Amino acid sequence: MVSVTVLGSSGGIGQPLSLLLKLDPHVSSLRLYDLKLSHGNATDLSHIDTNSTSEGFNTAEIGQALKGAQLVIIPAGIPRKPGMSRDDLFKINAKIIKSLTVQIAEHAPDARILVISNPVNSLVPIVYETLQSMGKFQAGKVMGITTLDIIRSHTFLVDIIGRKAYSVEKLKDAVTVVGGHSGETIIPIFTDQKFYRRLRDSNVYESYVHRVQFGGDEVVKAKDGSGSATLSMAWAGYTFAKKLLNSLHLNTAGDQHPIPTFVYLPGLPGGKELQKKLNTSVEFFSAPVKLEKGIVVAVEHEWVDKLNDDEKKLIAKCLPILEKNIKKGLAFSKQTK
Ligand code: NAD
Ligand code: LMR
């Protein structure tokens, strides 16, 4: 049974994500932490008749919120408004993520950390650098959540193909997403080339890629100034967390079906091979990983050998942007020691 803490639990993502976690049979204790409403929401959730407990903690109680947590999920931070890029969130969210990471290192140094807050491409490097400087970084335990891009890649594919022909369920093995989590760093790659050819032949490949890369903008625009994706993100965050929780409870080789997440490549088996195959020194990348006991145990790289020419071009565009985003996070972290 797993003890989970959500940092930023009262927000648009935090609330539905906490609800989904309260329903998960693997969760024994759910702790909610936010600047506001965490006690209220925890009391609310505590009436749900599942086996887990739920408790709320305010800012003075962060140590108690984190003590002994095995999994910490972070959706704390400000979201975009129309006209903003994810990078525009950096100034505020970098400070938030850094201070929360210091608290995690002190009170839950062995926790797996899932970073939802944006910009993921820069904030995960901040978590890395902060933990590293405190001597607490464990590469297999720090993951940036890019699952919403994967979910969108399935949904938008079925939007084109038609729900009558294929259910979303059947298309889940046709395409996935690698790279980073913003604009052109988001790269859909087809694991089933039949669908790639189909989109290419009907001249919709480019518009499909664009929709996956800029899907977040659709929601920001539709919400018209009151935020970005929250409900679909809660589902995405829970989808990843569930996979991790399931792998914690498997006694053998774990859940072998890899899922992409944004990780520090040099610290993980397969990571350096991936850098070599991509011919890059970029150290953080979202690639399919194997999870065992709730930890990333290997990064997949075989998928690079199967990329088509379009996908190779997308990767070439992604890497310099990603490198800049990563450098920005690392520089912030080093400057603010
Ligand atoms: P929100 O404003 O609704 O909620 C954020 C919550 O964080 C608020 O309740 C706020 O009080 C809390 N908070 C702020 N500073 C805090 C701190 N220091 N400690 C604890 N809590 C703190 O925003 P949201 O819509 O839930 O989005 C949260 C973040 O997630 C944003 O940065 C957004 O861009 C990002 N996001 C990421 C993805 C992804 O795919 N990774 C998808 C959607 C949104
Ligand atoms: C998303 O992809 O929906 C999130 O990163 C939120 C955003 O700012 O678009």
Side-chain angles (χ1 to χ4, degrees), residues 153 156-162 188 190 194-213 310 314:
S153 76
F156 300 165
L157 183 60
V158 88
D159 281 351
I160 294 173
I161 305 279
F190 281 87
K194 172 171 85 235
F195 291 100
Y196 162 70
R197 282 194 296 274
R198 197 157 154 182
L199 298 197
R200 260 260 156 265
D201 291 348
S202 44
N203 289 324
V204 292
Y205 175 73
E206 268 94 5
S207 60
Y208 169 75
V209 170
H210 186 273
R211 194 170 178 214
V212 175
Q213 293 186 326
D310 280 317
L314 293 175

Side-chain angles (χ1 to χ4, degrees), residues 24 66 162 194 207 229 235 245 309:
D24 190 286
L66 285 167
K194 172 171 85 235
S207 60
W235 174 246
L245 290 166
D309 287 347

